Amino acid sequence: VGDCTDLCTYQLAMHLRLDANARQLKRRVILPADCVDTYAMTVETAKSIGAMPHDGDLLHAIFLYHMALNGVEVVAGIK
């Protein structure tokens, strides 16, 4: 498990979803969006350390959307 939307959380949720599909299992994968987020790295910072820039807000939204498209139940939060 983890809390980084586009890294560990995405990998786990998609594995659980795809494994259930492959085995024809009914499995609910529920992701509370308020429990995950990702990091931001500006172009300037990325260049200075030889990394890729990382738009945290954009990637968070895209990966939540992609998980929802693939059957993961993305919910606002757990009460």
Side-chain angles (χ1 to χ4, degrees):
V1 297
D3 62 358
C4 202
T5 314
D6 55 327
L7 300 171
C8 43
T9 303
Y10 175 76
Q11 294 293 325
L12 176 60
M14 290 304 297
H15 167 74
L16 292 171
R17 188 69 258 134
L18 294 171
D19 177 66
N21 292 350
R23 297 170 189 252
Q24 298 180 359
L25 299 174
K26 288 188 175 188
R27 178 187 293 157
R28 290 179 71 189
V29 180
I30 304 168
L31 176 67
D34 67 348
C35 292
V36 297
D37 205 346
T38 193
Y39 67 95
M41 184 180 303
T42 65
V43 172
E44 181 180 286
T45 300
K47 282 183 180 180
S48 74
I49 64 172
M52 297 283 293
H54 197 267
D55 185 330
D57 292 337
L58 174 65
L59 292 170
H60 177 70
I62 287 172
F63 277 79
L64 288 176
Y65 179 73
H66 190 263
M67 286 185 273
L69 282 176
N70 284 280
V72 174
E73 295 177 53
V74 178
V75 297
I78 298 175
K79 295 181 181 185

